Amino acid sequence: MDERDGQDPLRDLGQRLDRARRAREHNAPSSRGGAGIPQGALGLALRIGIELVVAVIVGLGLGWLFDYELGTRPWGVIVFFFLGVAAGMVNVWRAVVGMGSAIGYRRQQPPPAAPQQKGTDWDDED
Amino acid sequence: MATENPLHQFTIERLIPIHIGKIDASFTNSALMMCVAVVLITAFILLTTRRAALVPGRWQSVTEMLYEFVANMVDNNGGAGARTFFPFVFSLFMFILFGNLLGMIPYTFTFTSHIIVTFALAMLVFMGVTIIGLARHGFRFLSLFVPHGVPKVLLLLLVPIELLSYFIRPFTLSIRLFANMMAGHTMLAIFAGFVTALGLFGVLPLAVDTALVLLELLVAVLQAYVFAILTCLYLADALHLH
């Protein structure tokens, strides 16, 4: 901005604010799931380590509760055990593949950017 | 005496017994450490930004780095519109971070090593995110559990799996933090017990313990980070419904 030193400083500020805002909206969720960010690798490893175990335990717990309430022993435990294993695997798979922990198989599409108001231009004199 | 119970450090002590009806609402050492963490965080941020300058000094830049770190995390993982929830994520991150780090000071109590504390935090996130999702999208929020472009027959199998993997979230979130903190501190105490028990050879476990302290410091920061980043990812799900 040195070369435009003669300009109105407020207008310059407005342009820079616009640019910063646009940059924030554009690069919004580009690096989800940690697959692309190296410093997130250790975080990712710690994240998924426990996912599978807890899923199975919660599945078993729910199955047991189901049986306890409805007296359907042992079917609840059996069904929920396999559901827990499946859910755990799905969670781990998603964390690794980088679809985030998104539920649902839809591929990550750029989320609807915040509606661009036209009125946010400070420099609307030309 | 040399072999003190390594789990002794997790004992809850009632400092000021308070009983309201049948509820035991005593002020415990755990509650004390939480208050210390909140007071320290507030004091740290207020003091370092009291004389805020355009060119930040050392302390001010620490606070600014923390702020920008969390702000970037929220923007990158939460997507558009997630900035609204920045104060919540920042508070959560700082609270867990200070809780973990304060626990590293000898003779203090690590409140994040108790599952009830981490589970309460995780439920706060889980219920908050679910309510936000329902408020933003109404019943369309439930489409989160219906995989896209899958034969109808498979839905019978997939919807329960999706539901389960959604309701597992508060459990994984809380158990991850609690297990890491508790395992680390127990390990430190066990090796410290060896130091006095082995006499001269105690130098070896002492060296191990020194390395473990460094590892634990890393884990303390990392677990706060993981908790915060997962909060952002869950928020993104509720906000954008992909």
Side-chain angles (χ1 to χ4, degrees), chain A residues 9-19 120-123:
Chain A
L10 264 183
R11 181 181 160 167
D12 185 46
L13 180 66
Q15 283 172 345
R16 277 190 291 157
L17 271 172
D18 274 351
R19 225 175 299 140
T120 52
D121 286 343
W122 277 273
D123 45 13

Side-chain angles (χ1 to χ4, degrees), chain A residues 59-96:
Chain A
L60 277 175
L62 273 177
W64 185 85
L65 205 70
F66 196 80
D67 281 345
Y68 185 81
E69 294 291 329
L70 299 177
T72 49
R73 192 173 305 249
W75 293 106
V77 171
I78 293 173
V79 170
F80 274 93
F81 169 76
F82 286 109
L83 278 181
V85 172
M89 283 181 179
V90 165
N91 278 349
V92 169
W93 169 253
R94 280 189 193 138
V96 173

Side-chain angles (χ1 to χ4, degrees), chain B residues 152-166:
Chain B
K152 287 270 187 304
V153 189
L154 271 181
L155 282 183
L156 275 177
L157 183 65
L158 289 178
V159 172
I161 293 177
E162 296 292 346
L163 271 172
L164 196 57
S165 73
Y166 186 77

Side-chain angles (χ1 to χ4, degrees), chain B residues 191-209:
Chain B
F191 275 94
F194 286 158
V195 174
T196 45
L198 287 181
L200 202 57
F201 293 102
V203 182
L204 289 172
L206 187 65
V208 173
D209 230 14

Side-chain angles (χ1 to χ4, degrees), chain B residues 37-38 41 45 66 69-70 73-74 85-100 111-112 117-126 128-129 173-174 177 220-221 223-235:
Chain B
V38 170
I41 294 167
I45 291 181
L66 283 168
F69 177 68
V70 180
M73 189 200 301
V74 172
F85 303 99
F86 169 78
F88 174 66
V89 179
F90 187 71
S91 313
L92 199 62
F93 175 74
M94 291 301 277
F95 186 62
I96 296 172
L97 181 69
F98 270 63
N100 290 351
F111 60 79
T112 44
V117 176
T118 60
F119 189 68
L121 289 173
M123 275 315 267
L124 185 71
V125 170
F126 178 74
V129 161
L173 203 54
S174 56
L177 177 58
V221 178
Q223 286 303 323
Y225 166 74
V226 168
F227 202 99
I229 207 168
L230 281 175
T231 305
C232 294
L233 287 173
Y234 295 164
L235 259 177

